[in-house]
């Protein structure tokens, strides 16, 4: 396939009109300027960026398909300009054994319209972590707060991941230091930042040296800095940089999330870290729940904010306001996430690069609307928010999967990208 557009992707420094010849999902040839034989020609007002990667989404599926499933969640991703998602294991059944991981991957193979990787949960059965790690099916493991107090199971996962050079993603909140019962606007008091720091200290004390540890949804500047000082990678969410405790007070359950929204001054410092180079990626923690669930009482309703479909619009709006530039945007949404996952040559424009791209129109404006989404989760704390900058086309390994409101691919185009993530030959047994 021959793709022509105005690109801004590594190694380019300036937007440049290019024609790419793409074969087997990779760039086979590059020439400057237009070509009469292009199969897809993207207009000059659009800018083609390296494919956006969201390293933290909950596609749900299996018995939680009423909240979201592998088709609705990846349609939402494609419509949000996201070319690759990393899916979380807190499903029903949990993805903590090779059997349920097999079921999940088969649902993704049949339904996903974008590329994906899956993280496994921490197994409670001895030997299972090693079976999962050696299967080659997953990109890594996800450690939840409750896993931190199961020392034997936790250590097994950390060593199994270390031996295969897999990623360990940490939800950093110590379970003994958080409680429920705080009023809307004050949940940050029930889940203090000290709980975030303590969880990171705990895992650091048992992690083997050289483990690829990634701290996800860091909600406070202190946690970002603590993670970086220990040599780990870290992501922040759009909601922790755009919303704060006042939004939780206003929207109640729709803005209830773990870790919680923080006071405004924390949010402002977090934004500064975003552009100072301390943050490796932005990740949405797209956490869909039904309208009925989110209309329940604040104490009982499930935490989680959907975001994968709004992600690009929200961040491009920060670009339009001058909070960050396009270079920061590309780093935080594509090259940084690819580095965290260990995927090389993603979305660049040289022979051999993986030909996944996100085309954006930086001048298009609109308002965020939860009901006009592919996701099943219709309630959003961003409802009505003005945005400037919109994803207009999503290209996954050379195939146009989405263009201006329309999905143009059959379910099942997405591939498991775990095999692209670097193993560097693994490590010898400890
Ligand atoms: O708010 C959250 N929702 N935080 C999590 O850690 C889990 C997520 C979910 O799965 O809904
Ligand atoms: Zn999550």
């Amino acid at each position: 396939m021959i793709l022509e557009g105005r690109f801004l992707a590594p190694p380019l420094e300036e937007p440049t009109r290019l024609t790419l010849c793409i074969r087997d999902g990779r760039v086979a040839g590059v020439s400057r300027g237009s070509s009469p034989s292009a199969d897809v020609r993207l207009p000059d007002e659009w800018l083609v960026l390296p494919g956006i990667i969201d390293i933290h989404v909950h596609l749900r599926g299996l018995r939680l398909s009423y909240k979201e499933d592998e088709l609705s969640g990846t349609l939402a991703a494609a419509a949000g300009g996201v070319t690759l998602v990393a899916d979380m294991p807190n499903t029903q059944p949990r993805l903590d054994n090779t059997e349920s991981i097999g079921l999940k991957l088969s649902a993704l193979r049949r339904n996903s319209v974008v590329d994906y990787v899956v993280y496994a949960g921490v197994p409670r059965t001895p030997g299972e972590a090693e079976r999962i790690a050696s299967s080659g099916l997953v990109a890594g493991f996800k450690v939840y707060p409750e896993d931190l107090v199961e020392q034997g199971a936790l250590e097994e996962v950390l060593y199994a991941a270390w031996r295969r050079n897999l990623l360990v993603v940490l939800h950093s909140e110590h379970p003994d230091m958080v409680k429920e019962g705080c009023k809307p606007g004050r949940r940050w008091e029930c889940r203090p930042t000290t709980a975030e720091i303590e969880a990171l200290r705990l895992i650091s004390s048992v992690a083997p040296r050289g483990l690829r540890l990634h701290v996800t949804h860091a909600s406070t500047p202190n946690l970002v800095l603590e993670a970086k000082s220990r040599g780990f990678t870290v992501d922040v969410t759009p909601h922790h940089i755009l919303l704060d405790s006042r939004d939780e007070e206003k929207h109640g359950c729709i803005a209830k999330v773990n870790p919680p929204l923080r006071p405004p001054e924390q949010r402002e410092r977090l934004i500064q870290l975003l552009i100072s180079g301390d943050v490796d990626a932005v990740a949405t923690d797209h956490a869909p729940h039904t309208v009925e669930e989110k209309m329940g009482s604040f104490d009982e309703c499930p935490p989680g904010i959907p975001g994968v479909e709004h992600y690009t619009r929200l961040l491009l709006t920060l670009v339009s306001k001058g909070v960050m530039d396009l270079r920061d945007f590309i780093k935080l949404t594509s090259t940084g996430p690819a580095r965290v996952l260990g995927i090389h040559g993603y979305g660049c424009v040289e022979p051999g690069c993986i030909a996944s791209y996100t085309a954006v129109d930086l001048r298009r404006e609109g308002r965020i609307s939860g009901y006009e989404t592919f996701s099943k989760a219709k309630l959003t704390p961003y409802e009505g928010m003005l945005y400037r900058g919109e994803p207009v086309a999503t290209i996954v390994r050379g195939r146009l999967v989405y263009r201006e409101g329309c999905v143009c691919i059959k379910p099942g185009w997405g591939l498991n990208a775990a095999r692209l993530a670097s193993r560097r030959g693994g490590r010898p047994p400890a």
Side-chain angles (χ1 to χ4, degrees):
M1 109 90 146
I2 299 185
L3 170 67
E4 185 197 315
R6 198 165 61 96
F7 283 84
L8 180 60
L12 298 171
E13 295 283 343
E14 294 295 330
T16 310
R17 183 149 280 274
L18 295 180
T19 300
L20 304 185
C21 172
I22 299 167
R23 216 170 289 136
D24 298 329
R26 293 198 182 246
V27 177
V30 186
S31 59
R32 281 184 179 250
S34 319
S35 158
S37 54
D39 301 299
V40 176
R41 183 174 294 115
L42 302 177
D44 233 15
E45 311 82 76
W46 297 2
L47 196 53
V48 192
L49 306 176
I52 292 176
I53 300 177
D54 191 346
I55 55 174
H56 188 151
V57 304
H58 298 262
L59 298 178
R60 313 286 193 211
L62 305 173
R63 290 207 292 275
L64 295 180
S65 294
Y66 66 95
K67 291 178 192 261
E68 190 83 290
D69 61 39
E70 292 80 2
L71 179 59
S72 63
T74 60
L75 288 172
V82 174
T83 53
L84 194 158
V85 291
D87 195 13
M88 288 293 165
N90 61 338
T91 43
Q92 282 174 20
R94 287 183 72 226
L95 305 185
D96 60 1
N97 59 79
T98 47
E99 197 185 329
S100 61
I101 291 168
L103 287 175
K104 175 76 193 183
L105 287 173
S106 133
L108 282 163
R109 199 176 311 118
R110 282 179 278 117
N111 293 298
S112 185
V113 298
V114 299
D115 288 340
Y116 52 85
V117 294
V118 163
Y119 304 117
V122 174
R124 298 290 188 263
T125 314
E128 193 63 29
E130 181 54 34
R131 263 194 294 285
I132 294 170
S134 61
S135 71
L137 296 174
V138 301
F141 290 88
K142 171 73 183 288
V143 173
Y144 280 96
E146 61 272 21
D147 301 320
L148 290 169
V149 289
E150 299 281 335
Q151 184 137 2
L154 177 64
E155 283 187 26
E156 236 191 83
V157 156
L158 300 183
Y159 277 86
W162 177 80
R163 278 194 291 275
R164 308 269 166 188
N165 204 20
L166 294 178
L167 189 66
V168 172
V169 179
L170 173 67
H171 175 149
S172 199
E173 285 189 295
H174 195 296
D176 298 342
M177 296 171 70
V178 298
K179 57 181 193 302
E180 291 304 326
C182 286
K183 290 193 177 20
R186 307 208 77 87
R187 258 183 110 243
W188 56 273
E189 289 179 338
C190 274
R191 304 183 78 97
T193 175
T194 47
E196 286 191 318
I197 301 287
E198 197 46 42
L200 186 57
R201 290 209 179 118
L202 192 159
I203 202 167
S204 302
S205 68
V206 288
R209 269 175 77 114
L211 176 73
R212 287 170 61 208
L213 188 80
H214 176 77
V215 179
T216 191
H217 53 44
S219 68
T220 56
N222 283 356
L223 184 63
V224 171
L225 296 174
E226 184 81 24
K228 292 315 283 182
S229 74
R230 291 175 186 272
F232 304 141
T233 51
V234 61
D235 73 61
V236 300
T237 67
H239 47 267
H240 288 115
I241 54 178
L242 294 168
L243 307 173
D244 57 50
S245 50
R246 295 170 300 187
D247 296 283
E248 186 191 275
E249 191 176 358
K250 185 162 152 210
H251 297 293
C253 187
I254 296 169
K256 179 178 173 182
V257 65
N258 290 340
L261 298 180
R262 303 286 174 187
E265 59 277 11
Q266 297 268 344
R267 178 175 76 90
E268 278 150 28
R269 282 179 53 218
L270 203 57
I271 290 206
Q272 281 157 17
L273 288 182
L274 200 65
I275 50 176
S276 68
D278 288 302
V279 173
D280 297 277
V282 173
T284 64
D285 192 7
H286 174 74
H289 297 287
T290 64
V291 171
E292 292 74 17
E293 287 169 321
K294 280 299 205 181
M295 297 303 278
S297 75
F298 188 71
D299 280 342
E300 314 247 301
C301 70
I305 295 176
V308 73
E309 209 160 341
H310 309 309
Y311 174 30
T312 304
R313 287 172 174 81
L314 295 172
L315 287 202
L316 286 177
T317 304
L318 291 181
V319 173
S320 80
K321 289 182 174 164
V323 174
M324 63 168 82
D325 61 23
L326 271 177
R327 215 175 287 261
D328 299 318
F329 178 89
I330 290 171
K331 182 199 152 199
L332 292 166
T333 63
S334 182
T335 51
R339 200 168 304 124
V340 170
L341 288 178
I343 297 176
H344 300 287
Y346 197 83
C348 44
V349 288
E350 288 175 306
C353 293
I354 299 166
S356 292
Y357 305 104
T358 303
V360 301
D361 185 332
L362 295 173
R363 283 172 307 188
R364 277 201 203 184
E365 294 179 337
R367 285 186 188 274
I368 300 281
S369 164
Y371 273 89
E372 287 165 41
T373 56
F374 287 94
S375 170
K376 294 182 189 179
K378 301 298 183 191
L379 294 178
T380 164
Y382 306 113
E383 189 67 39
M385 198 182 268
L386 273 172
Y387 66 81
R388 184 173 166 88
E390 196 173 287
V392 281
T394 308
I395 294 148
V396 177
R397 281 174 290 106
R399 286 289 289 270
L400 189 64
V401 305
Y402 170 87
R403 182 170 182 158
E404 292 180 282
C406 298
V407 176
C408 23
I409 196 93
K410 288 188 185 134
W413 173 248
L415 276 187
N416 185 353
R419 65 190 169 81
L420 299 176
S422 96
R423 300 278 177 277
R424 277 180 255 123
R427 293 175 203 274

